[in-house]
Coordinates of all heavy atoms in Angstrom, one line a residue:
T1 N 1.0 10.4 -61.8 CA 2.0 11.4 -61.4 C 3.2 10.7 -60.7 O 4.2 11.3 -60.5 CB 1.4 12.3 -60.3 OG1 1.1 11.5 -59.2 CG2 0.1 13.0 -60.8
G2 N 3.1 9.4 -60.4 CA 4.2 8.7 -59.8 C 4.2 8.9 -58.3 O 5.1 8.2 -57.6
W3 N 3.4 9.7 -57.7 CA 3.4 9.8 -56.2 C 2.5 8.7 -55.6 O 1.4 8.5 -55.9 CB 2.8 11.2 -55.9 CG 3.7 12.3 -56.2 CD1 3.6 13.1 -57.3 CD2 4.8 12.8 -55.4 NE1 4.7 14.1 -57.2 CE2 5.4 13.9 -56.1 CE3 5.4 12.4 -54.2 CZ2 6.5 14.6 -55.6 CZ3 6.5 13.1 -53.7 CH2 7.0 14.2 -54.4
H4 N 3.1 8.1 -54.6 CA 2.4 7.1 -53.8 C 2.0 7.7 -52.5 O 2.8 8.3 -51.8 CB 3.4 5.9 -53.5 CG 3.9 5.2 -54.7 ND1 3.3 4.1 -55.2 CD2 5.0 5.4 -55.5 CE1 3.9 3.6 -56.3 NE2 5.0 4.4 -56.5
T5 N 0.8 7.4 -52.1 CA 0.4 7.9 -50.7 C 0.8 6.8 -49.7 O 0.4 5.7 -49.9 CB -1.2 8.0 -50.7 OG1 -1.6 9.0 -51.7 CG2 -1.7 8.5 -49.4
V6 N 1.5 7.3 -48.8 CA 2.0 6.4 -47.7 C 1.0 6.3 -46.6 O 0.7 5.2 -46.0 CB 3.4 6.8 -47.2 CG1 3.9 5.9 -46.1 CG2 4.4 6.9 -48.3
G7 N 0.4 7.5 -46.3 CA -0.6 7.5 -45.2 C -0.6 8.9 -44.5 O 0.1 9.8 -45.0
E8 N -1.4 8.9 -43.5 CA -1.5 10.1 -42.7 C -0.3 10.4 -41.8 O 0.0 9.6 -40.9 CB -2.8 10.0 -41.9 CG -3.4 11.3 -41.4 CD -4.6 11.1 -40.6 OE1 -5.4 10.2 -40.9 OE2 -4.8 11.9 -39.6
V9 N 0.3 11.5 -42.0 CA 1.5 11.8 -41.2 C 1.3 11.7 -39.7 O 2.1 11.1 -39.0 CB 2.0 13.3 -41.5 CG1 3.1 13.6 -40.6 CG2 2.5 13.3 -43.0
A10 N 0.1 12.3 -39.3 CA -0.1 12.4 -37.8 C -0.1 11.0 -37.2 O 0.4 10.8 -36.1 CB -1.4 13.1 -37.6
S11 N -0.6 10.0 -37.9 CA -0.6 8.7 -37.3 C 0.6 7.9 -37.6 O 1.2 7.2 -36.7 CB -1.9 7.9 -37.7 OG -2.1 8.0 -39.1
L12 N 1.2 8.0 -38.8 CA 2.4 7.3 -39.1 C 3.6 7.7 -38.2 O 4.4 6.9 -37.8 CB 2.9 7.6 -40.5 CG 1.9 7.1 -41.7 CD1 2.4 7.6 -43.0 CD2 2.0 5.5 -41.6
F13 N 3.7 9.0 -37.9 CA 4.8 9.5 -37.1 C 4.4 10.0 -35.7 O 5.0 10.9 -35.2 CB 5.5 10.7 -37.9 CG 6.3 10.1 -39.1 CD1 5.7 9.9 -40.3 CD2 7.7 9.8 -38.9 CE1 6.5 9.4 -41.3 CE2 8.3 9.3 -39.9 CZ 7.8 9.1 -41.2
A14 N 3.3 9.4 -35.2 CA 2.8 9.8 -33.9 C 3.9 9.6 -32.8 O 4.1 10.4 -31.9 CB 1.5 9.1 -33.6
S15 N 4.6 8.5 -32.9 CA 5.5 8.1 -31.8 C 6.9 7.7 -32.3 O 7.6 7.0 -31.6 CB 4.9 7.0 -31.0 OG 4.7 5.9 -31.8
R16 N 7.3 8.1 -33.5 CA 8.6 7.7 -34.0 C 9.0 8.7 -35.1 O 8.1 9.4 -35.7 CB 8.5 6.3 -34.6 CG 7.5 6.2 -35.7 CD 7.2 4.8 -36.2 NE 6.1 4.8 -37.2 CZ 5.8 3.8 -37.9 NH1 6.4 2.7 -37.8 NH2 4.8 3.9 -38.7
D17 N 10.3 8.6 -35.5 CA 10.8 9.5 -36.5 C 11.4 8.8 -37.8 O 11.8 9.4 -38.6 CB 11.9 10.4 -35.9 CG 11.3 11.5 -35.0 OD1 10.3 12.1 -35.3 OD2 11.8 11.6 -33.9
C18 N 11.2 7.4 -37.7 CA 11.7 6.6 -38.8 C 10.6 5.6 -39.0 O 10.1 5.0 -38.1 CB 12.9 5.8 -38.5 SG 14.3 6.6 -37.8
M19 N 10.4 5.3 -40.3 CA 9.4 4.2 -40.7 C 9.9 3.6 -41.9 O 10.5 4.2 -42.8 CB 8.0 4.7 -40.7 CG 7.7 5.7 -41.8 SD 6.0 5.7 -42.2 CE 5.7 4.2 -42.9
G20 N 9.5 2.4 -42.1 CA 9.8 1.7 -43.4 C 8.4 1.3 -44.1 O 7.4 1.0 -43.4
T21 N 8.4 1.3 -45.4 CA 7.3 0.8 -46.1 C 7.8 0.2 -47.4 O 9.0 0.2 -47.7 CB 6.3 2.0 -46.4 OG1 5.1 1.5 -46.9 CG2 6.9 3.1 -47.3
V22 N 6.8 -0.4 -48.2 CA 7.2 -0.9 -49.5 C 6.3 -0.3 -50.5 O 5.1 -0.3 -50.4 CB 6.9 -2.5 -49.5 CG1 7.4 -3.1 -50.8 CG2 7.8 -3.1 -48.3
L23 N 6.9 0.3 -51.5 CA 6.2 1.0 -52.6 C 6.6 0.4 -54.0 O 7.8 0.4 -54.3 CB 6.4 2.5 -52.6 CG 6.1 3.2 -51.3 CD1 6.6 4.6 -51.3 CD2 4.6 3.2 -51.0
D24 N 5.7 -0.2 -54.7 CA 6.0 -0.8 -56.0 C 7.2 -1.9 -55.8 O 8.1 -2.0 -56.6 CB 6.5 0.2 -57.0 CG 5.4 0.8 -57.8 OD1 4.2 0.3 -57.6 OD2 5.6 1.7 -58.6
G25 N 7.2 -2.6 -54.6 CA 8.1 -3.6 -54.4 C 9.5 -3.1 -53.9 O 10.4 -3.9 -53.7
V26 N 9.6 -1.8 -53.7 CA 10.8 -1.1 -53.3 C 10.7 -0.8 -51.8 O 9.7 -0.2 -51.4 CB 11.1 0.2 -54.1 CG1 12.4 0.8 -53.5 CG2 11.2 -0.1 -55.5
K27 N 11.6 -1.3 -51.0 CA 11.6 -1.0 -49.6 C 12.1 0.5 -49.4 O 13.2 0.8 -49.8 CB 12.5 -1.9 -48.8 CG 11.9 -3.3 -48.6 CD 12.8 -4.1 -47.7 CE 12.1 -5.3 -47.1 NZ 11.8 -6.3 -48.1
V28 N 11.3 1.3 -48.8 CA 11.6 2.8 -48.6 C 11.6 3.1 -47.1 O 10.7 2.7 -46.4 CB 10.6 3.6 -49.4 CG1 10.9 5.1 -49.2 CG2 10.5 3.3 -50.9
G29 N 12.7 3.8 -46.7 CA 12.8 4.3 -45.3 C 12.4 5.8 -45.4 O 12.9 6.5 -46.2
I30 N 11.6 6.2 -44.4 CA 11.2 7.6 -44.4 C 11.6 8.1 -43.0 O 11.4 7.5 -42.0 CB 9.7 7.8 -44.6 CG1 9.3 7.2 -46.0 CG2 9.3 9.3 -44.6 CD1 7.8 7.0 -46.2
F31 N 12.2 9.4 -43.0 CA 12.8 9.9 -41.8 C 12.3 11.3 -41.6 O 12.2 12.0 -42.5 CB 14.3 9.9 -41.9 CG 14.9 8.5 -42.3 CD1 15.0 8.2 -43.6 CD2 15.2 7.6 -41.3 CE1 15.5 6.9 -44.0 CE2 15.7 6.4 -41.7 CZ 15.9 6.0 -43.0
R32 N 12.0 11.6 -40.3 CA 11.6 13.0 -40.0 C 12.6 13.7 -39.2 O 13.1 13.1 -38.1 CB 10.3 13.0 -39.2 CG 9.8 14.3 -38.8 CD 8.4 14.4 -38.2 NE 8.5 13.6 -37.0 CZ 7.3 13.3 -36.3 NH1 6.1 13.8 -36.7 NH2 7.4 12.6 -35.2
V33 N 13.1 14.8 -39.6 CA 14.0 15.6 -38.8 C 13.6 17.1 -38.8 O 13.4 17.7 -39.8 CB 15.5 15.6 -39.4 CG1 16.5 16.4 -38.6 CG2 16.0 14.2 -39.7
D34 N 13.3 17.6 -37.6 CA 12.9 18.9 -37.4 C 11.6 19.2 -38.3 O 11.5 20.3 -38.9 CB 13.9 19.9 -37.7 CG 15.1 19.8 -36.7 OD1 14.9 19.4 -35.6 OD2 16.3 20.2 -37.2
G35 N 10.7 18.3 -38.3 CA 9.5 18.5 -39.1 C 9.6 18.3 -40.6 O 8.7 18.5 -41.3
E36 N 10.8 18.0 -41.1 CA 11.1 17.8 -42.5 C 11.2 16.3 -42.7 O 11.7 15.6 -41.9 CB 12.4 18.5 -43.0 CG 12.2 19.6 -43.9 CD 13.6 20.0 -44.4 OE1 14.5 20.5 -43.6 OE2 13.8 19.9 -45.6
F37 N 10.7 15.8 -43.9 CA 10.8 14.4 -44.2 C 11.8 14.1 -45.4 O 12.0 14.9 -46.3 CB 9.4 13.9 -44.7 CG 8.4 14.0 -43.6 CD1 7.7 15.1 -43.3 CD2 8.2 12.9 -42.7 CE1 6.8 15.2 -42.2 CE2 7.4 12.9 -41.6 CZ 6.6 14.1 -41.4
F38 N 12.4 12.9 -45.2 CA 13.4 12.5 -46.2 C 13.1 11.0 -46.4 O 12.8 10.3 -45.5 CB 14.8 12.7 -45.6 CG 15.1 14.1 -45.2 CD1 14.9 14.5 -43.9 CD2 15.5 15.0 -46.1 CE1 15.1 15.8 -43.5 CE2 15.7 16.3 -45.7 CZ 15.5 16.7 -44.4
A39 N 13.3 10.6 -47.7 CA 13.0 9.2 -48.1 C 14.3 8.6 -48.8 O 14.8 9.3 -49.7 CB 11.8 9.1 -49.0
L40 N 14.6 7.4 -48.5 CA 15.7 6.7 -49.1 C 15.4 5.3 -49.3 O 14.4 4.8 -48.7 CB 16.9 6.7 -48.1 CG 17.5 8.0 -47.5 CD1 18.6 7.7 -46.5 CD2 18.1 8.8 -48.7
D41 N 16.1 4.6 -50.1 CA 16.0 3.2 -50.2 C 16.3 2.7 -48.8 O 17.2 3.2 -48.1 CB 17.2 2.6 -51.1 CG 16.8 2.5 -52.5 OD1 15.6 2.8 -52.9 OD2 17.5 2.1 -53.4
D42 N 15.5 1.7 -48.3 CA 15.6 1.4 -46.9 C 16.7 0.4 -46.7 O 17.3 0.3 -45.5 CB 14.3 0.8 -46.4 CG 14.1 0.9 -44.9 OD1 14.9 1.6 -44.3 OD2 13.0 0.4 -44.4
I43 N 17.1 -0.4 -47.6 CA 18.1 -1.4 -47.5 C 19.5 -0.8 -47.5 O 19.8 -0.1 -48.4 CB 18.0 -2.5 -48.6 CG1 16.6 -3.2 -48.5 CG2 19.0 -3.6 -48.4 CD1 16.4 -4.2 -49.6
C44 N 20.2 -1.0 -46.4 CA 21.6 -0.5 -46.3 C 22.4 -1.0 -47.5 O 22.3 -2.1 -48.0 CB 22.2 -1.0 -45.0 SG 23.9 -0.4 -44.7
T45 N 23.2 -0.1 -48.1 CA 24.0 -0.5 -49.3 C 25.2 -1.4 -48.8 O 25.8 -2.0 -49.7 CB 24.7 0.7 -50.0 OG1 25.4 1.4 -49.1 CG2 23.6 1.6 -50.5
H46 N 25.4 -1.6 -47.6 CA 26.4 -2.5 -47.0 C 26.0 -3.9 -46.8 O 26.7 -4.8 -46.9 CB 27.0 -1.9 -45.8 CG 28.1 -2.8 -45.2 ND1 28.0 -3.5 -44.0 CD2 29.4 -3.1 -45.7 CE1 29.1 -4.2 -43.8 NE2 29.9 -4.0 -44.8
G47 N 24.7 -4.0 -46.5 CA 24.3 -5.4 -46.1 C 22.8 -5.5 -45.9 O 22.0 -4.7 -46.3
A48 N 22.4 -6.6 -45.2 CA 20.9 -6.9 -45.2 C 20.4 -6.3 -43.9 O 20.1 -7.0 -42.9 CB 20.8 -8.4 -45.2
A49 N 20.2 -5.0 -43.9 CA 19.6 -4.3 -42.7 C 18.8 -3.2 -43.3 O 19.0 -2.7 -44.4 CB 20.7 -3.8 -41.8
L50 N 17.8 -2.8 -42.5 CA 17.0 -1.6 -42.9 C 17.4 -0.4 -42.1 O 17.4 -0.4 -40.9 CB 15.5 -2.0 -42.6 CG 14.9 -3.2 -43.4 CD1 13.5 -3.4 -43.0 CD2 15.0 -2.9 -44.9
L51 N 17.6 0.6 -42.9 CA 18.0 1.9 -42.2 C 16.9 2.4 -41.3 O 17.1 3.0 -40.3 CB 18.4 3.0 -43.2 CG 19.6 2.6 -44.1 CD1 19.8 3.7 -45.2 CD2 20.8 2.5 -43.2
S52 N 15.7 2.2 -41.7 CA 14.5 2.6 -40.8 C 14.5 1.9 -39.5 O 13.7 2.4 -38.6 CB 13.2 2.5 -41.6 OG 12.9 1.1 -41.8
D53 N 15.2 0.8 -39.3 CA 15.3 0.2 -38.0 C 16.5 0.7 -37.2 O 16.8 0.2 -36.1 CB 15.5 -1.4 -38.2 CG 14.3 -2.1 -38.7 OD1 13.2 -1.6 -38.5 OD2 14.5 -3.2 -39.3
G54 N 17.2 1.6 -37.8 CA 18.4 2.2 -37.2 C 18.1 3.4 -36.2 O 17.0 3.5 -35.8
F55 N 19.1 4.1 -36.0 CA 19.0 5.1 -35.0 C 19.3 6.5 -35.6 O 20.3 6.7 -36.2 CB 20.1 4.9 -33.8 CG 20.0 3.5 -33.3 CD1 20.8 2.5 -33.8 CD2 19.0 3.1 -32.4 CE1 20.7 1.2 -33.4 CE2 18.8 1.8 -32.0 CZ 19.8 0.8 -32.5
L56 N 18.3 7.4 -35.5 CA 18.3 8.7 -36.2 C 18.9 9.7 -35.1 O 18.3 9.8 -34.0 CB 17.0 9.0 -36.7 CG 16.8 10.3 -37.5 CD1 17.6 10.1 -38.8 CD2 15.3 10.5 -37.8
E57 N 19.9 10.4 -35.5 CA 20.4 11.5 -34.7 C 20.8 12.7 -35.6 O 21.6 12.6 -36.4 CB 21.6 11.1 -33.9 CG 22.0 12.1 -32.8 CD 22.9 11.5 -31.7 OE1 22.9 10.3 -31.5 OE2 23.6 12.3 -31.1
G58 N 20.0 13.7 -35.4 CA 20.1 14.8 -36.3 C 19.8 14.3 -37.7 O 18.8 13.7 -37.9
H59 N 20.6 14.6 -38.7 CA 20.3 14.2 -40.0 C 21.0 12.9 -40.4 O 21.1 12.5 -41.6 CB 20.7 15.3 -41.1 CG 19.8 16.4 -41.1 ND1 20.1 17.6 -40.5 CD2 18.5 16.6 -41.6 CE1 19.0 18.4 -40.6 NE2 18.1 17.9 -41.3
E60 N 21.6 12.2 -39.3 CA 22.3 11.0 -39.6 C 21.6 9.8 -39.1 O 21.2 9.8 -37.9 CB 23.7 11.1 -39.0 CG 24.6 12.2 -39.5 CD 25.9 12.4 -38.8 OE1 26.2 11.6 -37.9 OE2 26.6 13.3 -39.3
V61 N 21.5 8.8 -39.9 CA 20.9 7.5 -39.4 C 22.0 6.5 -39.4 O 22.9 6.4 -40.2 CB 19.7 7.0 -40.3 CG1 20.1 6.7 -41.7 CG2 19.0 5.9 -39.6
E62 N 22.0 5.8 -38.3 CA 23.0 4.8 -38.0 C 22.4 3.4 -38.3 O 21.4 3.0 -37.7 CB 23.5 4.8 -36.6 CG 24.6 3.8 -36.2 CD 24.9 3.8 -34.7 OE1 25.6 4.7 -34.3 OE2 24.4 2.9 -34.0
C63 N 23.1 2.7 -39.2 CA 22.6 1.4 -39.6 C 22.6 0.4 -38.4 O 23.6 0.5 -37.6 CB 23.4 0.8 -40.7 SG 22.9 -0.9 -41.1
P64 N 21.5 -0.3 -38.2 CA 21.4 -1.2 -37.0 C 22.4 -2.3 -36.9 O 22.7 -2.9 -35.9 CB 20.0 -1.6 -36.9 CG 19.6 -1.6 -38.4 CD 20.3 -0.4 -38.9
L65 N 23.0 -2.6 -38.2 CA 23.8 -3.9 -38.2 C 25.2 -3.6 -37.9 O 25.9 -4.3 -37.0 CB 23.6 -4.6 -39.6 CG 24.0 -6.0 -39.7 CD1 23.4 -6.8 -38.6 CD2 23.6 -6.6 -41.1
H66 N 25.9 -2.7 -38.6 CA 27.3 -2.4 -38.4 C 27.6 -0.9 -38.1 O 28.7 -0.5 -38.2 CB 28.1 -2.9 -39.6 CG 27.9 -4.3 -40.0 ND1 27.3 -4.5 -41.2 CD2 28.2 -5.5 -39.5 CE1 27.2 -5.8 -41.4 NE2 27.7 -6.4 -40.3
A67 N 26.5 -0.2 -37.8 CA 26.7 1.2 -37.3 C 27.3 2.2 -38.3 O 27.8 3.2 -37.9 CB 27.5 1.2 -36.0
G68 N 27.2 1.9 -39.6 CA 27.6 2.9 -40.6 C 26.6 4.0 -40.6 O 25.4 3.8 -40.3
L69 N 27.1 5.2 -40.9 CA 26.1 6.3 -40.9 C 25.8 6.8 -42.4 O 26.7 6.8 -43.2 CB 26.8 7.5 -40.2 CG 27.1 7.4 -38.7 CD1 27.8 8.6 -38.1 CD2 25.7 7.2 -38.0
V70 N 24.6 7.2 -42.5 CA 24.1 7.8 -43.8 C 23.4 9.1 -43.5 O 22.7 9.2 -42.6 CB 23.1 6.8 -44.4 CG1 22.4 7.4 -45.7 CG2 23.7 5.5 -44.8
D71 N 23.6 10.1 -44.4 CA 22.9 11.4 -44.2 C 21.6 11.2 -44.9 O 21.5 10.9 -46.1 CB 23.8 12.5 -44.9 CG 23.2 13.9 -44.6 OD1 22.0 14.0 -44.7 OD2 24.0 14.8 -44.4
V72 N 20.6 11.4 -44.1 CA 19.2 11.2 -44.7 C 18.8 12.2 -45.7 O 17.9 12.1 -46.5 CB 18.1 11.0 -43.6 CG1 18.4 9.9 -42.7 CG2 17.9 12.3 -42.8
R73 N 19.5 13.4 -45.7 CA 19.1 14.4 -46.7 C 19.6 14.1 -48.1 O 19.0 14.5 -49.0 CB 19.8 15.8 -46.2 CG 19.2 16.3 -45.0 CD 20.0 17.5 -44.5 NE 21.3 17.1 -44.0 CZ 22.2 17.8 -43.4 NH1 21.9 19.0 -43.1 NH2 23.4 17.4 -43.1
T74 N 20.8 13.5 -48.1 CA 21.4 13.2 -49.4 C 21.6 11.7 -49.8 O 21.9 11.4 -50.9 CB 22.8 13.8 -49.4 OG1 23.5 13.2 -48.3 CG2 22.8 15.3 -49.1
G75 N 21.5 10.9 -48.8 CA 21.8 9.5 -49.0 C 23.3 9.2 -49.0 O 23.7 8.0 -49.3
C76 N 24.0 10.2 -48.7 CA 25.5 10.0 -48.8 C 26.0 9.1 -47.7 O 25.6 9.2 -46.5 CB 26.2 11.3 -48.7 SG 26.2 12.2 -50.2
A77 N 26.9 8.2 -48.0 CA 27.5 7.3 -47.0 C 28.5 8.2 -46.3 O 29.4 8.9 -46.8 CB 28.3 6.2 -47.7
L78 N 28.4 8.2 -44.9 CA 29.3 9.1 -44.1 C 30.4 8.3 -43.4 O 31.5 8.9 -43.2 CB 28.4 9.8 -43.0 CG 27.3 10.7 -43.6 CD1 26.5 11.2 -42.4 CD2 27.9 11.9 -44.3
T79 N 30.2 7.1 -43.0 CA 31.2 6.4 -42.3 C 31.3 4.9 -42.8 O 30.3 4.4 -43.1 CB 31.1 6.4 -40.8 OG1 29.8 5.8 -40.4 CG2 31.1 7.9 -40.3
A80 N 32.4 4.3 -42.6 CA 32.6 2.9 -42.9 C 31.7 2.1 -41.9 O 31.5 2.6 -40.8 CB 34.1 2.5 -42.7
P81 N 31.3 0.9 -42.3 CA 31.6 0.2 -43.5 C 30.8 0.6 -44.7 O 30.9 -0.1 -45.7 CB 31.5 -1.3 -43.1 CG 30.3 -1.2 -42.1 CD 30.5 0.1 -41.4
I82 N 29.9 1.6 -44.6 CA 29.1 2.0 -45.8 C 29.9 2.8 -46.7 O 30.5 3.8 -46.3 CB 27.9 2.7 -45.4 CG1 27.0 1.9 -44.3 CG2 27.0 3.1 -46.5 CD1 25.8 2.6 -43.8
V83 N 30.1 2.4 -48.0 CA 30.8 3.2 -48.9 C 30.0 3.7 -50.1 O 30.3 4.6 -50.8 CB 32.1 2.4 -49.4 CG1 33.1 2.2 -48.3 CG2 31.7 1.0 -50.0
R84 N 28.9 2.9 -50.4 CA 28.1 3.3 -51.5 C 26.9 4.2 -51.0 O 26.3 3.9 -50.0 CB 27.5 2.1 -52.2 CG 28.4 1.5 -53.3 CD 27.8 0.6 -54.2 NE 27.2 -0.5 -53.5 CZ 25.9 -0.9 -53.6 NH1 25.1 -0.3 -54.4 NH2 25.4 -2.0 -52.9
D85 N 26.6 5.3 -51.7 CA 25.6 6.1 -51.3 C 24.2 5.4 -51.5 O 24.1 4.5 -52.3 CB 25.6 7.4 -52.2 CG 26.8 8.2 -51.9 OD1 27.4 8.0 -50.8 OD2 27.1 9.2 -52.7
T86 N 23.2 5.9 -50.8 CA 21.9 5.3 -50.8 C 21.0 6.2 -51.7 O 21.0 7.4 -51.7 CB 21.3 5.3 -49.4 OG1 22.2 4.6 -48.6 CG2 19.9 4.7 -49.4
R87 N 20.1 5.5 -52.6 CA 19.3 6.2 -53.5 C 18.2 7.0 -52.7 O 17.6 6.5 -51.7 CB 18.6 5.3 -54.4 CG 17.8 5.9 -55.5 CD 17.4 4.9 -56.5 NE 16.6 3.8 -56.0 CZ 15.5 3.3 -56.6 NH1 15.2 3.6 -57.8 NH2 14.9 2.3 -56.0
R88 N 18.0 8.3 -53.1 CA 17.0 9.1 -52.4 C 15.7 9.1 -53.3 O 15.7 8.9 -54.5 CB 17.4 10.6 -52.5 CG 18.5 10.9 -51.5 CD 19.1 12.3 -51.8 NE 18.0 13.3 -51.8 CZ 18.1 14.4 -52.4 NH1 19.1 14.7 -53.2 NH2 17.0 15.3 -52.4
H89 N 14.6 9.3 -52.6 CA 13.3 9.5 -53.2 C 12.7 10.8 -52.8 O 13.1 11.4 -51.7 CB 12.4 8.3 -52.9 CG 13.0 6.9 -53.1 ND1 13.1 6.5 -54.4 CD2 13.5 6.1 -52.3 CE1 13.7 5.3 -54.4 NE2 14.0 5.0 -53.1
Q90 N 11.8 11.3 -53.7 CA 11.1 12.6 -53.3 C 10.0 12.3 -52.3 O 9.3 11.3 -52.4 CB 10.5 13.2 -54.6 CG 11.5 13.8 -55.5 CD 10.8 14.4 -56.7 OE1 10.5 13.7 -57.6 NE2 10.4 15.7 -56.6
V91 N 9.8 13.2 -51.4 CA 8.8 13.1 -50.4 C 8.1 14.4 -50.2 O 8.8 15.4 -50.2 CB 9.3 12.4 -49.1 CG1 10.5 13.2 -48.5 CG2 8.3 12.3 -48.0
K92 N 6.9 14.4 -49.9 CA 6.1 15.6 -49.6 C 4.9 15.3 -48.8 O 4.5 14.2 -48.7 CB 5.7 16.4 -50.9 CG 4.6 15.6 -51.7 CD 4.2 16.4 -53.0 CE 3.2 15.7 -53.8 NZ 2.8 16.5 -55.0
V93 N 4.4 16.4 -48.1 CA 3.2 16.2 -47.4 C 2.1 17.1 -48.0 O 2.3 18.3 -48.3 CB 3.4 16.7 -45.9 CG1 2.1 16.6 -45.1 CG2 4.5 15.8 -45.3
T94 N 1.0 16.5 -48.3 CA -0.2 17.3 -48.9 C -1.4 16.9 -48.1 O -1.8 15.7 -48.0 CB -0.4 16.9 -50.4 OG1 0.9 17.1 -51.1 CG2 -1.5 17.7 -51.1
D95 N -2.1 17.9 -47.6 CA -3.3 17.7 -46.8 C -3.1 16.7 -45.7 O -4.0 15.8 -45.5 CB -4.5 17.3 -47.8 CG -4.9 18.4 -48.7 OD1 -4.7 19.6 -48.4 OD2 -5.4 18.1 -49.8
G96 N -2.0 16.7 -45.1 CA -1.8 15.8 -44.0 C -1.3 14.4 -44.4 O -1.0 13.6 -43.6
Q97 N -1.3 14.2 -45.7 CA -0.9 12.9 -46.3 C 0.6 12.8 -46.7 O 1.0 13.8 -47.3 CB -1.7 12.5 -47.4 CG -3.3 12.3 -47.2 CD -3.6 11.1 -46.3 OE1 -3.0 10.0 -46.5 NE2 -4.4 11.3 -45.3
L98 N 1.3 11.8 -46.3 CA 2.7 11.8 -46.7 C 2.7 11.0 -48.1 O 2.2 9.9 -48.3 CB 3.5 10.9 -45.7 CG 4.9 10.9 -45.9 CD1 5.6 12.2 -45.4 CD2 5.5 9.7 -45.2
L99 N 3.4 11.6 -49.1 CA 3.5 11.0 -50.4 C 5.0 10.9 -50.8 O 5.8 11.7 -50.4 CB 2.8 11.9 -51.4 CG 1.4 12.1 -51.2 CD1 1.0 13.5 -50.8 CD2 0.6 11.7 -52.5
V100 N 5.3 9.8 -51.5 CA 6.7 9.5 -51.9 C 6.6 9.2 -53.4 O 5.8 8.5 -53.9 CB 7.3 8.3 -51.2 CG1 8.5 7.8 -51.8 CG2 7.5 8.7 -49.7
R101 N 7.6 9.8 -54.1 CA 7.8 9.4 -55.5 C 9.2 8.8 -55.7 O 10.2 9.3 -55.4 CB 7.7 10.7 -56.5 CG 7.9 10.3 -57.9 CD 7.3 11.3 -58.8 NE 7.9 12.6 -58.8 CZ 7.5 13.7 -59.5 NH1 6.3 13.5 -60.2 NH2 8.1 14.8 -59.4
L102 N 9.1 7.5 -56.2 CA 10.4 6.8 -56.3 C 11.2 7.4 -57.4 O 10.8 7.9 -58.4 CB 10.1 5.3 -56.7 CG 9.2 4.6 -55.7 CD1 8.9 3.2 -56.2 CD2 10.0 4.5 -54.3
S103 N 12.5 7.4 -57.2 CA 13.5 7.9 -58.2 C 13.7 6.9 -59.3 O 13.6 5.7 -59.1 CB 14.8 8.2 -57.5 OG 14.7 9.2 -56.6
Ligands
LIG201 FE1 24.5 -1.4 -42.8 FE2 26.5 -3.1 -42.5 S1 24.5 -3.6 -43.1 S2 26.5 -1.0 -42.0

């Protein structure tokens, strides 16, 4: 089906709203906003930083390296120096398990 099981939501997101993982060799960042989950390529399109190490405020994640903003719902680059959008992945929760399908 192409869905990868990342793990149990309750333990993965017990004390944080961002996490990074690797699926099929792809670094994926997963973000929780208001109980909803969003998944993006984790590597910033501007440089060598992981968005999941950044700062999430509302639906915007701030890259930890140069503070560019990305909308976690769409992967859209919102502010400089990020200009290229980030690839999104599908994410869902089934029976308490978080699953991601790579795009
Ligand atoms: Fe993300 Fe520069 S590496 S803004």
